Amino acid sequence: MHCWNCKTDLSHQSSLGFFACPKCSAPDFIGTDRSPFAVLGAPRQYDLDLSELEERYLALSKWLHPDRYATLGNTWTKKCGELSALVNESYESLKNSESRLDALLVGSSDLAKTNSDAIPTRYAERFFEMQELRMEDAAAARALALSLQSEIKQEDNALLEQIDRIARSLNWNKPLEKQSLLTLMETRAKRAYLRSLIANLQKVLL
Amino acid sequence: MSSSFKELPVISAGPMTHRPSSQDPIIGIDLGTTNSLVAIVKNNTPIVLPSREGRNLIPSIVHYGADNNIEVGFSAKKRRSTDPKNTIYSAKRLLGRGAADMLDSGIEFPYDLDLSSPQNVQIVIGEKKITAIEVSAEILREIKLAAETALGRPVEDAVITVPAYFNDSQRQATRAAGRLAGLNVLRILNEPTAASLAYGLHEKKNGLVAVYDLGGGTFDVSILKLRDGLFEVLSTAGDTQLGGDDIDIAIARHLGLEADSGKALIIAENLKIALTTQKSATFEGYALSREQLETIVVPILEKTRTAVEQSLIDAKIDRTELTDVVLVGGPTRMPVVQQFAAQLFGRQPNCNLNPDEVVALGAAVQADILAGNNRDFLLLDVVPLSLGIETMGGTMNKLIPRNTRIPAMAKEQFTTYAEGQTKVAINVYQGERDLVTFNRKLGQFVLAGIPPLPAGLARVEVTFLVDADGILSVSAKELYSEVEQSIEVRPSYGLTDEQVEQMLAAYLDNKDEDLSVAKLVEARNDARTVLTATEKALPKVADLLDKNERINIETLTANLRGVIEKEDLTAIKNAHKALSDGTRHLAELLIQATLDKNFKNKNVDGFLKKG
């Protein structure tokens, strides 16, 4: 592998991740692992120190943003634009816990098929009840929608806590145990469903 | 926390990223709907450069007179009531827009538009039809001349601001206008973001700042996090068809005037401006009170409420967390706008900065950053509108959601839906709606040569890349066969790149090169250098020159002084050459004298440099 700018041989470069060419200081990224954890040099875990993550993001941005290289011409701004885009994308994915879990699960999701029985049907029944009621008694339907929504929100929060608990306890540097993976995937599927219900109720309420 | 972050490499000596001071400066341009300004950073302070009419701002108005006589600025503004059909104002509202956009917006102009081509609104000037890009290029040309005159050197590189909510075609159209004016556009910068740079430099405060930017024709709101020179845009929202113009039209209608007549708008504008300081005003027999103005303006301002609320939701902050609210744009001088913003954000807005100048000053700060002179500041901006492609059923599949940090990259895999399908059409859209028909189409391309596979088996990977200007390029690749295709998405913004280049070439051919102000300015400066040097040197070596030679030099100096302020480039150059030739002996004497150390520590730079 050679430096894209000065063509110096970089095969002795030992550390993975972002580095500066020892000869011309041109930045680049080494390694096939382009997961957001590798890009930001963050430990592969669910529980991240967010202020440390932000510090890292800003340090990399200050170094790699194409505006820093505007005087050096298009090749530099294009290359640094791509590196910067990689940093932005990685930070976006690790910044909130939900997409961070997605990033941790990349590659493992095929191991567990989501069980559709896990989806709670009782809310759907009440949702349709409420829809029918709208024709007869709008005020009553509204009241029902409100109480249903707050009930679903409560369950959703409980599920979120459950996900947090499991995800924190796992060692993400080892292959995952099938049972905890299955629980995680199911809980996530439930949450996705509950949130689509919350959104639908919101539309009704507006 | 079990483990910690990997250490970053230590960057010892970075590459040379400082722009040499010998290179021509980069200017910052606020190309506004109503007025335009140009600024530059001098000694770490941004300053607005004067126009050639001796003002700080240039009205964004172009008058197309008889015999191709084009006027820009205040002189064009005067024509608004006498020649409204050929006096083009608010061209920015037409920039990068199609006929459908204009019909939707419902705005009217006293000049004629040709809406027959759906992609491209044209302005009718007598027998000719021109685009808003060409009108904007005239304004930018005037700005370039103003900067060159004020700085005394040629100017080519520029940062031009656009409303944050401008879509891809409006950005591309602005870029094309810059190119057509002979500018090298280094950056298209969002106006509220530019304002925040000027604010940050002025106030030197960290915190969460909302920028409420109500311009002549557009409205933007941005939420930023400022921290030690880092300007992070958290969210942006707006309306590209809402601004001070709408207030003028509403006032004209209230007065029972035809809103699309030039005269009516002049009356409305004058009343509006008078009412920023007075309780009531009268202009040409029409009277208006501040209370009446408020009832006219508030419904227009109400339209900014949704965008403000959206921006706070997208930034994931509550309005009480804001540490400051900055008002930008001429219309925010109106007390009713300030009150409305105060109520909207729940705090008194900051009025320390000049709302007309703050965007241009910020553009100059960004120019200084790009020149490598300001290593302390860095701007991290976002895309204002979601970018995606059309999938089955006409749905919008978003690859890059709005408010994603730029530069941005996104990849997504798609598949074929028909048996043996060998081609896929990739339609690129920008907008927030779930169905593509309600969004703006940016471009289309076809990825061909896919091997015939059963439906759903081919894997087409689409990559979106948005650069620091917020401009998108798209590539697509079929992963089995590695067939690849990439395009820079070029939305139809009114002119093709080839047309812009042709028009630029034609303009450069037509203009009499010797009349170029840049050359004139350069010649004047060179002449001044020689004059100063001669006048300084003459007394020092006076006794070494014979009388005739001395008189000759004095005559030549007077000649050059006589022509230096004239518009005649050849005369300046000739007089300059005559003086240089006439002082050759003087220069030799000076060099000799220097060598003899008789003139140790005396300034002879001017001669040595010019040889």
Side-chain angles (χ1 to χ4, degrees):
Chain A
M1 142 154 209
H2 293 84
C3 170
W4 59 267
N5 180 48
C6 71
K7 313 290 175 227
T8 299
D9 185 3
L10 296 171
S11 39
H12 305 295
Q13 190 73 31
S14 56
S15 71
L16 297 179
F18 286 107
F19 74 99
C21 168
K23 195 172 161 219
C24 71
S25 296
D28 206 350
F29 186 87
I30 281 192
T32 46
D33 180 5
R34 295 204 160 209
S35 75
F37 295 96
V39 169
L40 295 172
R44 199 181 146 76
Q45 61 195 37
Y46 180 73
D47 205 6
L48 276 186
D49 181 338
L50 289 181
S51 63
E52 207 175 342
L53 183 72
E54 192 188 11
E55 287 304 323
R56 171 54 51 95
Y57 166 67
L58 296 177
L60 285 170
S61 295
K62 275 186 175 172
W63 175 22
L64 301 167
H65 196 281
D67 283 3
R68 287 275 177 259
Y69 306 95
T71 53
L72 298 177
N74 279 342
T75 323
W76 277 80
T77 48
K78 194 163 181 284
K79 179 74 192 178
C80 294
E82 282 166 18
L83 296 175
S84 225
L86 186 62
V87 171
N88 283 335
E89 190 189 6
S90 304
Y91 180 55
E92 195 56 46
S93 113
L94 294 195
K95 194 161 70 169
N96 80 67
S97 57
E98 220 166 307
S99 53
R100 195 183 315 133
L101 184 59
D102 287 342
L104 287 166
L105 287 169
V106 164
S108 347
S109 46
D110 296 344
L111 295 173
K113 286 253 159 21
T114 313
N115 185 354
S116 56
D117 293 347
I119 303 294
T121 51
R122 60 180 190 281
Y123 292 121
E125 283 158 20
R126 287 171 61 195
F127 184 84
F128 292 124
E129 240 171 68
M130 185 277 302
Q131 286 283 39
E132 276 168 32
L133 191 59
R134 286 175 81 191
M135 301 296 174
E136 299 155 26
D137 185 348
R142 200 181 155 77
L144 184 57
L146 269 174
S147 78
L148 189 57
Q149 199 186 32
S150 87
E151 210 177 306
I152 299 175
K153 275 184 182 162
Q154 260 182 25
E155 172 147 6
D156 184 51
N157 280 335
L159 291 177
L160 177 61
E161 278 170 30
Q162 196 186 336
I163 291 177
D164 267 2
R165 212 168 38 242
I166 303 170
R168 277 210 181 95
S169 69
L170 289 174
N171 180 349
W172 292 95
N173 292 300
K174 287 198 302 197
L176 292 181
E177 195 195 319
K178 196 163 180 186
Q179 191 48 51
S180 15
L181 185 62
L182 197 67
T183 320
L184 265 182
M185 304 295 274
E186 261 181 29
T187 321
R188 271 188 349 143
K190 274 191 217 168
R191 280 202 74 205
Y193 171 74
L194 292 183
R195 268 177 307 168
S196 74
L197 276 182
I198 293 171
N200 280 328
L201 284 165
Q202 194 59 39
K203 276 182 201 160
V204 172
L205 286 169
L206 278 177
Chain B
M1 228 134 302
S2 53
S3 39
S4 59
F5 281 64
K6 256 180 70 179
E7 272 175 32
L8 274 183
V10 181
I11 320 302
S12 49
M16 212 285 290
T17 54
H18 213 70
R19 188 178 166 100
S21 57
S22 58
Q23 232 173 312
D24 293 325
I26 311 176
I27 53 172
I29 299 173
D30 171 9
L31 179 63
T33 309
T34 320
N35 294 306
S36 296
L37 292 92
V38 54
I40 194 159
V41 170
K42 262 191 185 163
N43 305 322
N44 299 318
T45 311
I47 49 163
V48 172
L49 296 174
S51 73
R52 294 199 299 160
E53 293 173 311
R55 308 282 286 267
N56 267 7
L57 47 83
I58 298 171
S60 303
I61 303 178
V62 181
H63 177 250
Y64 290 84
D67 309 325
N68 287 328
N69 184 25
I70 295 171
E71 286 175 297
V72 178
F74 284 100
S75 58
K77 194 174 181 176
K78 284 190 201 123
R79 310 279 188 164
R80 225 160 43 144
S81 50
T82 55
D83 191 12
K85 294 268 178 221
N86 299 315
T87 310
I88 313 305
Y89 66 91
S90 294
K92 187 174 174 180
R93 297 191 88 158
L94 304 170
L95 207 53
R97 306 209 132 237
D101 298 325
M102 294 323 297
L103 294 172
D104 287 350
S105 75
I107 44 171
E108 295 154 20
F109 294 102
Y111 46 84
D112 296 325
L113 295 181
D114 176 358
L115 299 177
S116 60
S117 141
Q119 303 288 348
N120 181 2
V121 177
Q122 289 190 303
I123 301 159
V124 184
I125 306 281
E127 302 287 296
K128 275 198 310 185
K129 282 179 194 166
I130 55 170
T131 60
I133 296 173
E134 290 155 83
V135 180
S136 303
E138 292 299 344
I139 299 162
L140 288 168
R141 241 172 232 151
E142 180 57 38
I143 288 171
K144 185 172 183 281
L145 288 177
E148 285 173 340
T149 311
L151 296 169
R153 56 200 298 188
V155 165
E156 207 171 90
D157 294 338
V159 170
I160 304 180
T161 62
V162 294
Y165 220 56
F166 252 22
N167 65 32
D168 212 84
S169 40
Q170 291 168 304
R171 282 167 201 269
Q172 301 261 21
T174 307
R175 227 176 208 299
R179 181 83 202 98
L180 195 53
L183 289 167
N184 176 28
V185 185
L186 289 182
R187 169 58 50 81
I188 295 291
L189 178 65
N190 293 326
E191 284 159 10
T193 318
S196 79
L197 281 174
Y199 165 88
L201 194 68
H202 187 262
E203 304 277 314
K204 300 188 171 56
K205 275 191 281 195
N206 289 338
L208 284 171
V209 177
V211 180
Y212 183 91
D213 179 357
L214 186 64
T218 56
F219 169 70
D220 281 326
V221 55
S222 289
I223 311 289
L224 290 107
K225 186 175 178 182
L226 271 56
R227 207 180 73 170
D228 305 329
L230 272 163
F231 294 72
E232 281 182 85
V233 182
L234 301 180
S235 68
T236 197
D239 186 336
T240 52
Q241 293 296 346
L242 177 68
D245 278 4
D246 301 283
I247 294 174
D248 293 350
I249 292 169
I251 295 171
R253 290 204 177 123
H254 175 88
L255 298 173
L257 294 162
E258 281 286 328
D260 64 352
S261 83
K263 188 88 183 148
L265 296 178
I266 294 165
I267 293 168
E269 194 191 332
N270 276 288
L271 287 171
K272 179 182 76 178
I273 292 169
L275 288 174
T276 59
T277 50
Q278 296 158 222
K279 289 266 179 227
S280 64
T282 313
F283 186 82
E284 301 204 347
Y286 292 91
L288 197 67
S289 72
R290 200 181 266 183
E291 285 72 32
Q292 286 171 312
L293 180 68
E294 279 166 20
T295 57
I296 298 167
V297 173
V298 168
I300 295 170
L301 297 178
E302 272 300 329
K303 294 183 185 170
T304 67
R305 187 184 292 276
T306 335
V308 167
E309 272 159 14
Q310 189 63 56
S311 71
L312 289 163
I313 292 170
D314 286 355
K316 298 188 179 70
I317 64 158
D318 188 80
R319 72 196 67 207
T320 54
E321 292 174 70
L322 291 172
T323 53
D324 215 343
V325 174
V326 183
L327 299 185
V328 181
T332 66
R333 287 185 187 282
M334 298 168 72
V336 56
V337 179
Q338 292 171 4
Q339 285 153 23
F340 190 86
Q343 170 257 320
L344 205 51
F345 290 102
R347 65 179 305 125
Q348 280 305 315
N350 178 327
C351 295
N352 294 347
L353 295 146
N354 179 337
D356 291 316
E357 295 184 351
V358 63
V359 169
L361 296 175
V365 175
Q366 178 66 15
D368 201 43
I369 294 172
L370 294 179
N373 297 330
N374 184 344
R375 313 288 299 170
D376 302 327
F377 277 22
L378 182 66
L379 198 63
L380 302 168
D381 218 327
V382 299
V383 285
L385 296 156
S386 301
L387 294 158
I389 66 172
E390 177 181 7
T391 50
M392 275 301 290
T395 50
M396 169 92 173
N397 189 308
K398 289 176 187 167
L399 270 86
I400 296 185
R402 70 163 185 274
N403 292 322
T404 298
R405 197 60 59 79
I406 49 176
M409 189 166 37
K411 280 185 171 86
E412 200 164 321
Q413 285 186 20
F414 299 91
T415 187
T416 48
Y417 72 95
E419 187 82 23
Q421 191 176 341
T422 57
K423 275 191 238 173
V424 284
I426 293 163
N427 295 312
V428 184
Y429 285 85
Q430 183 167 38
E432 304 313 315
R433 303 286 291 272
D434 292 332
L435 291 175
V436 292
T437 42
F438 299 115
N439 293 329
R440 185 180 184 90
K441 188 170 183 174
L442 295 181
Q444 171 181 37
F445 70 111
V446 173
L447 181 70
I450 299 172
L453 291 166
L457 216 61
R459 288 272 171 272
V460 177
E461 187 181 71
V462 176
T463 305
F464 273 34
L465 188 67
V466 182
D467 66 14
D469 287 332
I471 290 174
L472 171 72
S473 51
V474 181
S475 60
K477 188 172 164 183
E478 201 287 305
L479 297 176
Y480 285 136
S481 56
E482 304 220 328
V483 171
E484 199 168 345
Q485 186 94 46
S486 84
I487 54 157
E488 177 126 344
V489 175
R490 291 278 172 188
S492 44
Y493 54 75
L495 293 172
T496 65
D497 287 0
E498 291 72 31
Q499 279 173 312
V500 170
E501 290 307 321
Q502 274 166 17
M503 288 165 99
L504 179 62
Y507 172 77
L508 293 175
D509 281 350
N510 288 339
K511 97 176 167 175
D512 185 3
E513 265 218 318
D514 288 347
L515 276 178
S516 139
V517 168
K519 292 211 167 187
L520 202 56
V521 163
E522 210 177 343
R524 279 181 190 151
N525 281 325
D526 290 348
R528 271 190 207 109
T529 312
V530 172
L531 278 173
T532 316
T534 312
E535 278 160 4
K536 264 192 185 167
L538 211 49
K540 295 174 193 160
V541 290
D543 45 342
L544 299 173
L545 290 171
D546 67 46
K547 197 183 166 199
N548 282 344
E549 197 171 9
R550 196 194 155 92
I551 290 171
N552 184 36
I553 291 175
E554 278 168 355
T555 316
L556 293 170
T557 309
N559 280 348
L560 185 53
R561 282 230 172 275
V563 294
I564 198 161
E565 293 305 331
K566 291 195 176 144
E567 303 289 315
D568 190 342
L569 182 73
T570 326
I572 298 173
K573 282 197 163 169
N574 288 343
H576 179 172
K577 187 169 183 304
L579 180 61
S580 293
D581 292 345
T583 52
R584 190 154 293 144
H585 183 223
L586 173 68
E588 282 162 15
L589 286 175
L590 265 178
I591 292 164
Q592 193 54 47
T594 311
L595 292 175
D596 292 346
K597 300 191 194 280
N598 287 337
F599 287 85
K600 203 175 177 184
N601 301 328
K602 296 279 161 65
N603 183 5
V604 288
D605 272 3
F607 279 94
L608 291 175
K609 221 190 276 169
K610 294 282 157 191

